[in-house]
Structure formats: C-alpha cells, structure tokens
Amino acid sequence: MKFLIVVDMQNDFIDGALGTKEAVAILPAVKTKIEGFDGRVIFTRDTHEEDYLSSQEGKNLPVEHCIKGSDGWQINESLDALRKEEPVDKPTFGSIALGQLLKAYDTYDEKIESITLIGLCTDICVISNAMIIKAFLPEIPVIVDASCCAGVTPESHQNALKAMQMCQIKVENL
C-alpha cells in the first residue's frame, strides 16, 4: 500500500493570509498528483483556535491563519473535491497523530510500500511531518515531491529539501 500525504493545501497558505505566488503555482501539479496517485490519499489541515495569537506559535508568527471554521482554514476547493476522508487536523507544524495513524496501517497483513508528501510549506509543515513519519516508520521509504511543494520563500524551500535529503528522505523532481 502506498500513501500520499497532502500537507496543508489550505486557502490561507495558498492565496490567503500567508499565501505566496509559489503556493498558487503548485496547485495544478498537486491536483494532477492526487488524481493520478495509485494508493491512499490523506490530507492534513493546519488548525488553530480563536486564541491563536496568545499561543506559542502565534507569538512567533503573529498572523492569524487557519482559524477553525474560517474560509482560510478550508482546503482549496479544487483539491477538496478529491478528498475521500476527513483530514487530519493538526494544531501545530507536525502531527504525531498522523505518524500514529500511518504506523497503525503498517501491519503484517498489509505493509506500507512508501509514503509521499506534497504541499505547504516545505520548510515548516512538510519537513516537520516528513521527519515525524520517518521517526515512526524508519524502514519505510519517505518521499517528498519537490514539484508539488512550496516554501515560505524559494530559498527556505531549497534548504528544507536539502535538510530532508540529509535525513534519508528521498526528494524527487528537484
């Protein structure tokens, strides 16, 4: 079984509060990747509460985004139509729940062949989740498709890809 993890392809990260032209630019590639993927697709969703600005993250990044129930919290409409199950909501960059969920799927009956990550932001949530997945499933190939990711800046995107390669995460389509 193969998994595709679609990380935080939410309105606030694409063209909302923290959007970038690079995030907008990857939308067609992300949609094509999901449509052509032969395996299970799991979306994650950055999820903050109304008190975000008083949280540790909010104090360091004082831009309200992905507030639960808001338009910015929603997965981009063109991608959400492809979703077959509820997203994994995560209150921070990386999701322990996602690691636990994937580990539960890797059983003697059905082993995970690979886990590919795509989405936003390469240098924050993609790298965090890739590292958590690698920690939970160190013998499973973890792959990041660089053509379907965008970072806060092009430079930080490249730095994150290099860091993941150093941690035995395969980076494709550089």
Side-chain angles (χ1 to χ4, degrees):
M1 176 186 310
K2 294 181 180 182
F3 283 85
L4 178 65
I5 309 302
V6 182
V7 179
D8 299 356
M9 289 298 296
Q10 296 162 264
N11 295 327
D12 270 347
F13 292 128
I14 297 169
D15 56 8
L18 295 172
T20 64
K21 65 181 187 218
E22 293 84 9
V24 172
I26 68 165
L27 261 176
V30 168
K31 186 171 191 261
T32 298
K33 181 87 173 187
I34 295 167
E35 289 171 336
F37 190 75
D38 184 22
R40 186 158 179 188
V41 179
I42 298 175
F43 285 74
T44 70
R45 189 167 49 193
D46 196 41
T47 302
H48 300 296
E49 301 298 329
E50 294 290 333
D51 66 348
Y52 170 76
L53 292 176
S54 65
S55 69
Q56 177 72 23
E57 181 182 328
K59 291 174 185 171
N60 287 291
L61 178 63
V63 177
E64 285 189 341
H65 65 282
C66 300
I67 304 299
K68 188 173 186 173
S70 70
D71 183 58
W73 176 70
Q74 303 299 327
I75 293 169
N76 176 271
E77 185 177 21
S78 68
L79 304 178
D80 197 45
L82 304 172
R83 189 171 53 80
K84 294 182 176 152
E85 59 189 84
E86 279 302 304
V88 174
D89 288 338
K90 52 186 196 56
T92 188
F93 308 135
S95 174
I96 299 290
L98 178 63
Q100 292 168 331
L101 176 69
L102 290 167
K103 188 168 178 74
Y105 281 115
D106 191 45
T107 66
Y108 292 109
D109 295 342
E110 191 161 9
K111 300 299 279 177
I112 296 176
E113 295 173 49
S114 65
I115 301 166
T116 301
L117 292 93
I118 60 175
L120 302 169
C121 294
T122 318
D123 43 348
I124 302 174
C125 294
V126 173
I127 192 172
S128 296
N129 284 290
M131 296 298 290
I132 287 171
I133 292 167
K134 194 69 176 163
F136 271 91
L137 297 158
E139 296 302 319
I140 304 297
V142 177
I143 304 158
V144 171
D145 185 339
S147 70
C148 294
C149 293
V152 174
T153 67
E155 297 79 19
S156 62
H157 167 76
Q158 289 299 321
N159 288 339
L161 295 173
K162 288 176 189 170
M164 286 186 279
Q165 286 177 310
M166 293 299 296
C167 295
Q168 301 177 2
I169 294 165
K170 182 179 180 186
V171 178
E172 297 179 336
N173 300 316
L174 282 170

